[in-house]
Amino acid sequence: MKKRISLLIAISSAMFCNSLVAQKTPTYSWKNLPKIVQPTFAKDTFNVTKFGAKPDGITLNTQAINDAITACSKKGGGVVLVPNGMWLTGPIVLKSNVNLHIRKAATLLFTEDKSQYPLVEGSYEGKSAARNQSPISATNQENIAITGQGIIDGSGDVWRAVNKAQLTESEWNAKKASGGVLKANGLTWYPSEQFMKASVENRSMLLKDGVSLQSFADMKDFLRPNLLVITKCKKVLLEGVTFQNSPAWCLHPLMSENLTLRNLTIKNPEYAHNGDGMDIESCKNFLVDGCTIDVGDDAICIKSGKDEEGRKRGMPTENGIIRNCIVYNGHGGFVVGSEMSGGARNIFVYDCTFAGTDKGLRFKSVRGRGGIVENIYAKNIFMKDIAQEAIFFDMYYFVKFATDSPRDERPVVNEGTPIFRNMKFENIVCKGANKGIFVRGLSEMPIQNIQMSNIVLDTKIGAEFIDASNITLEKVTLISENTKPVISVNNSDGLTFNTIQYKANAELLFAIAGERSKAIQILQTDSSKAQKQIEFTEGATKEAITVSTGK
């Protein structure tokens, strides 16, 4: 009897605790944005010159700068000051309660000598991998910052391969003259024979049981580091500085919380392979504010691990604010995926400009990846000269890498099925893109519950929906050059088009295809301006759609 009473008490206690947790979990909205806790620092200043550092661009200051950081942290924290000058250095490790402050006329230049970067256990696209130590890193630290108005340069060109087609003739000739080797066809430059061999053989960098770091020594040049990696840290501030020329990803906060990235400039060459601006992976409570990004891959990217390893980690990237940012070159302005197996949720993006990116709002995944991406909100997004799509969802994103593990690619719902749902986009303008909206889900798991309102898209092609469910477009203007059709729907259901504006005399307003297309509504849309209102193909029927037009 006593055991039963004890068990009941334990169960009641657990239920009460779970109830409290549920009550404390906030419901985020535009009126209740996530709160980010910022670090604070003591006023004590530790000048790197006092530890022997010299700003001549020749002296290797690795030891002096790290000594200053260690001394500052041991004495309770404060500011480690990098004064004006050219400071050549190897890897720097940040420590708790230290603000590394780089003055405006200071450049922290990371050495091109790859021997200064030891092999370490790191991460590559969400999986454990051998990497060269990052130029700047921190693990399990709290209350850390990099501030100022100086420059952090990763000397990325000595690490990266590049194709001839990506450079001008004079740039290509200069690259060949700098050293390195060419691929047999003469169209790709590699930093070294070692790099080329690993690349051509498609060698994997993944760490597995029984495989030592030393076994990767013969491909060390190939294991490009990310410029900055912050792992399992709390209360992190990056403010004011310029991060440029990274060997791979530029900024990579991983499994960290309470991050603030404010007023940063992030630059990589357009040809920079994996030259992402920032990849926020499995992080909680973050703010990206007032950053300017011009890079060679995705600009602001949300990730949470890859495939089974990411699902086992089970750490979504959540509770984030991205605002007042400008993105120039990049594969996407704001991006989720494709390594999002741990999920992403409660992210608010607003007051941003994308000028010249490949895509604007970009969501990507593939069968076998898993993860739930939900509660993503974007408003006041302004785009110009977008090369491909302004708003893009695609569950067929797939580039085969040596680091990819086998995935179940059958069209069935299981733990590897990615789910993208419950999003709202409003007040978006795009002046120039190949396509306004592209949504392609999976036949077994459509993209679902997306609302788009007060949107103007001036593009070559209007909008396309494939395997989409419960999508609403309200007060959307599609000024497309190609008007046959303006809107294409294939095997989708529950779509509502309310108050759609389009170019007068359009050849075809709606093309409905697929026998699974159904429950489509057209409301308050003047179809009389189109030469033909609706066309049905590939098994779609008139019963799939209801029309209530108005002028």
Side-chain angles (χ1 to χ4, degrees), residues 336-338 340 359 361-367 369 388-389 391-398 418 420 437-442 445-447 464 466-467:
V336 178
S338 66
M340 38 57 66
K359 303 179 189 294
L361 300 172
R362 184 185 190 192
F363 300 82
K364 53 183 177 175
S365 190
V366 68
R367 284 188 179 112
R369 192 131 293 171
Q388 298 166 13
E389 297 88 357
I391 299 173
F392 176 86
F393 289 82
D394 193 12
M395 298 298 101
Y396 286 86
Y397 176 83
F398 183 65
F420 284 64
I437 302 170
F438 179 78
V439 177
R440 179 167 61 173
L442 300 170
M445 185 60 66
I447 304 294
E464 184 175 4
I466 305 168
D467 287 314

Side-chain angles (χ1 to χ4, degrees), residues 474-513:
E474 183 172 5
K475 296 181 180 178
V476 173
T477 298
L478 299 168
I479 305 300
S480 58
E481 293 179 19
N482 183 344
T483 60
K484 191 177 181 181
V486 176
I487 298 172
S488 172
V489 176
N490 192 319
N491 283 321
S492 298
D493 69 274
L495 275 57
T496 299
F497 301 95
N498 190 347
T499 318
I500 306 299
Q501 301 291 332
Y502 57 96
K503 186 184 290 186
N505 205 37
E507 292 181 71
L508 174 63
L509 185 52
F510 287 93
I512 312 297

Side-chain angles (χ1 to χ4, degrees), residues 192-212:
S192 66
E193 288 276 1
Q194 188 186 83
F195 190 116
M196 181 175 70
K197 188 173 187 295
S199 178
V200 170
E201 293 177 355
N202 198 28
R203 288 187 61 181
S204 173
M205 60 181 70
L206 296 185
L207 289 170
K208 299 178 181 179
D209 290 342
V211 178
S212 68

Side-chain angles (χ1 to χ4, degrees), residues 36-41 92 94-95 98-102 108 136-138 143-150 152 227-231 233-244 249-254 256-266 277-280 283 285-293 325:
I36 291 82
V37 180
Q38 307 222 2
T40 57
F41 301 95
I92 291 171
L94 301 177
K95 296 189 176 181
V98 174
N99 174 8
L100 181 64
H101 186 82
I102 304 169
L108 203 58
I136 303 177
S137 63
N143 224 49
I144 58 176
I146 301 175
T147 63
Q149 293 179 286
I152 295 174
L227 178 54
L228 177 144
V229 177
I230 302 292
T231 307
C233 293
K234 297 180 179 180
K235 291 191 288 185
V236 178
L237 171 66
L238 306 176
E239 183 172 35
V241 298
T242 294
F243 290 92
Q244 65 183 37
W249 292 353
C250 201
L251 307 182
H252 183 201
L254 171 64
S256 296
E257 62 181 277
N258 286 312
L259 311 169
T260 300
L261 286 66
R262 181 185 292 121
N263 297 334
L264 301 175
T265 299
I266 302 172
M278 59 179 74
D279 293 272
I280 302 171
C283 291
N285 301 339
F286 62 92
L287 170 65
V288 180
D289 187 12
C291 295
T292 300
I293 304 170
C325 292

Side-chain angles (χ1 to χ4, degrees), residues 55-332:
D56 54 17
I58 300 172
T59 303
L60 191 64
N61 294 299
T62 314
Q63 189 67 48
I65 295 172
N66 280 297
D67 285 349
I69 291 171
T70 298
C72 179
S73 182
K74 282 184 176 180
K75 291 186 178 180
V79 177
V80 170
L81 176 63
V82 180
N84 299 352
M86 182 70 65
W87 306 88
L88 184 67
T89 182
I92 291 171
V93 179
L94 301 177
K95 296 189 176 181
S96 293
N97 302 313
V98 174
N99 174 8
L100 181 64
H101 186 82
I102 304 169
R103 284 208 171 139
K104 188 171 186 176
T107 296
L108 203 58
L109 178 63
F110 286 92
T111 178
E112 297 180 1
D113 179 1
K114 297 174 186 176
S115 69
Q116 298 296 315
Y117 304 87
L119 287 173
V120 297
E121 295 183 11
S123 173
Y124 180 78
E125 294 190 338
K127 293 188 174 183
S128 298
R131 306 292 295 266
N132 282 280
Q133 183 175 340
S134 288
I136 303 177
S137 63
T139 302
N140 291 318
Q141 303 300 302
E142 186 168 353
N143 224 49
I144 58 176
I146 301 175
T147 63
Q149 293 179 286
I151 295 172
I152 295 174
D153 191 307
S155 296
D157 273 338
V158 300
W159 293 93
R160 294 187 294 256
V162 63
N163 296 320
K164 181 179 180 180
Q166 296 175 292
L167 304 177
T168 65
E169 191 66 27
S170 61
E171 288 171 337
W172 178 248
N173 290 334
K175 181 64 72 175
K176 290 190 296 181
S178 70
V181 295
L182 294 180
K183 197 173 183 177
N185 62 12
L187 299 179
T188 303
W189 178 90
Y190 297 99
S192 66
E193 288 276 1
Q194 188 186 83
F195 190 116
M196 181 175 70
K197 188 173 187 295
S199 178
V200 170
E201 293 177 355
N202 198 28
R203 288 187 61 181
S204 173
M205 60 181 70
L206 296 185
L207 289 170
K208 299 178 181 179
D209 290 342
V211 178
S212 68
L213 278 175
Q214 191 55 38
S215 66
F216 294 90
D218 65 339
M219 59 182 289
K220 183 177 185 297
D221 279 6
F222 182 69
L223 306 175
R224 296 171 294 137
N226 298 336
L227 178 54
L228 177 144
V229 177
I230 302 292
T231 307
K232 297 180 180 177
C233 293
K234 297 180 179 180
K235 291 191 288 185
V236 178
L237 171 66
L238 306 176
E239 183 172 35
V241 298
T242 294
F243 290 92
Q244 65 183 37
N245 207 13
S246 63
W249 292 353
C250 201
L251 307 182
H252 183 201
L254 171 64
M255 294 184 286
S256 296
E257 62 181 277
N258 286 312
L259 311 169
T260 300
L261 286 66
R262 181 185 292 121
N263 297 334
L264 301 175
T265 299
I266 302 172
K267 295 175 58 180
N268 272 332
E270 185 177 354
Y271 58 79
H273 182 218
N274 304 125
D276 297 34
M278 59 179 74
D279 293 272
I280 302 171
E281 181 177 352
S282 294
C283 291
K284 182 178 182 179
N285 301 339
F286 62 92
L287 170 65
V288 180
D289 187 12
C291 295
T292 300
I293 304 170
D294 192 342
V295 292
D297 209 314
D298 291 331
I300 302 170
C301 193
I302 304 300
K303 298 180 182 290
S304 60
K306 188 174 185 178
D307 300 342
E308 184 180 4
E309 190 168 337
R311 295 195 296 272
K312 284 183 177 179
R313 182 199 293 167
M315 294 179 64
T317 294
E318 60 183 335
N319 311 339
I321 301 169
I322 297 166
R323 67 189 182 199
N324 303 320
C325 292
I326 300 173
V327 179
Y328 293 103
N329 195 67
H331 290 182

